[in-house]
Amino acid sequence: MNQHPAFTAGRGAVITGGASGIGLATARHCAAHGMRLFLADIDQTALESARAAILADHPGTTIETIITDVGNRADVQHLHDIAMRAGPIGLVMNNAGVEGGGGLTADAARWHTIIDTNLWGVINGVQIFMPTLMAQGIPAAIINTGSKQGITMPPGDTAYNVSKAGIKAVTEALAHDLREAGSSVTAHLLIPGFTFTGFTKKHVAEKPDAAWTPEQVVAFMAERLAQGDFYILCPDNAVTQALDHKRIAWAAGDIIHNRPALSRWHKSYQAAFESFVKS
């Protein structure tokens, strides 16, 4: 399979949230292509476990682990400086995130944790790494991990929805700016489906049948990157892309047809939504 030129042997791959889940699966993919790894995470023990696991499968891989709070701009700048000292970077993946649990009236501390990590982590990563990647003058990619919740806005997890909607807006602006500048750096929004990650493992011990593994997500991501996709909308074992498209179209239709906000979950519109899905 063809690969995006970001996955070029000898170049650096900077991955936040790189100690587990989709971040670790991406690191394994990069290691298999001979890249140097810069794994950033807030959990030092998890980072060391990730290093050992990657080296067991890909001996000789250059791996640096950097304790990073992505919501702290100085930490992200430190990560950038370490990575840049080692040579050109092919990939920056702003993937670190925390799970939701921040309803509209949740306490301010919970909101700050979610927004600082999920959204400011991406903003910091983009603002700090983008100029450097552009100045390199070689093909590279910036991948930001979003969520379907940032598009369809299911009620009950408002802070998380806001953070992921913000990532979508930031990444779209990034893609536009890179395109207008004629840069060889590309931007991509990864939108995973139901994935068995550390978030999921807090609630269930074994992978649910409906979930994809992180490795499936990364394989799909690599395939779509090679095709030049910006929106990398992943299915899972329960939700097809066709169903995702219907849900997204309905959400946009709330504005076009002046329906009540979040009408997909409105009792008076449930039958209409189900009919729309089946049409």
Side-chain angles (χ1 to χ4, degrees):
M1 183 182 72
N2 293 331
Q3 290 283 345
H4 188 287
F7 299 111
T8 296
R11 293 183 185 167
V14 179
I15 305 168
T16 70
S20 63
I22 293 171
L24 176 56
T26 301
R28 291 179 182 275
H29 181 86
C30 293
H33 286 81
M35 300 183 75
R36 296 173 288 106
L37 303 182
F38 299 89
L39 304 185
D41 205 284
I42 204 165
D43 187 333
Q44 183 170 7
T45 300
L47 279 171
E48 292 309 314
S49 296
R51 180 209 292 271
I54 293 168
L55 288 175
D57 293 334
H58 305 285
T61 301
T62 299
I63 305 175
E64 291 200 49
T65 58
I66 304 97
I67 302 296
T68 307
D69 175 358
V70 295
N72 183 320
R73 194 174 182 88
D75 276 14
V76 180
Q77 184 66 56
H78 178 64
L79 170 64
H80 166 275
D81 295 347
I82 290 174
M84 284 310 303
R85 286 199 296 265
I89 294 174
L91 173 71
V92 172
M93 186 176 191
N94 295 305
N95 171 72
V98 295
E99 64 181 336
L104 184 59
T105 58
D107 64 277
R110 184 62 190 161
W111 269 78
H112 277 291
T113 296
I114 293 170
I115 300 299
D116 288 351
T117 301
N118 292 2
L119 180 53
W120 271 108
V122 170
I123 295 170
N124 288 335
V126 167
Q127 290 184 340
I128 289 171
F129 279 95
M130 180 186 71
T132 298
L133 265 60
M134 293 178 70
Q136 290 180 149
I138 59 175
I142 299 174
I143 303 171
N144 296 333
T145 302
S147 171
K148 295 174 186 179
Q149 287 189 216
I151 303 171
T152 58
M153 306 293 178
D157 206 359
T158 311
Y160 187 83
N161 293 353
V162 169
S163 72
K164 293 299 184 175
I167 291 171
K168 175 178 176 289
V170 168
T171 313
E172 288 171 340
L174 172 63
H176 171 82
D177 288 358
L178 290 171
R179 182 174 65 243
E180 291 299 300
S183 176
S184 55
V185 181
T186 59
H188 309 270
L189 181 66
L190 174 63
I191 312 167
F194 182 25
T195 310
F196 188 53
T197 66
F199 294 166
T200 317
K201 291 175 185 178
K202 291 180 180 179
H203 307 287
V204 291
E206 297 184 0
K207 186 185 83 64
D209 291 341
W212 267 14
T213 65
E215 289 73 22
Q216 285 177 291
V217 172
V218 172
F220 184 87
M221 178 184 78
E223 176 186 332
R224 301 322 307 168
L225 281 170
Q227 297 301 314
D229 289 7
F230 171 77
Y231 298 104
I232 303 175
L233 181 65
C234 301
D236 53 45
N237 292 333
V239 179
T240 64
Q241 278 199 328
L243 179 54
D244 274 329
H245 292 167
K246 288 284 190 176
R247 289 173 173 176
I248 292 167
W250 182 273
D254 281 353
I255 301 171
I256 297 168
H257 301 293
N258 196 26
R259 294 191 293 250
L262 303 179
S263 70
R264 177 178 154 195
W265 295 274
H266 192 298
K267 290 181 180 179
S268 298
Y269 287 84
Q270 287 178 352
F273 171 71
E274 293 301 327
S275 176
F276 175 76
V277 167
K278 294 175 182 178
S279 65

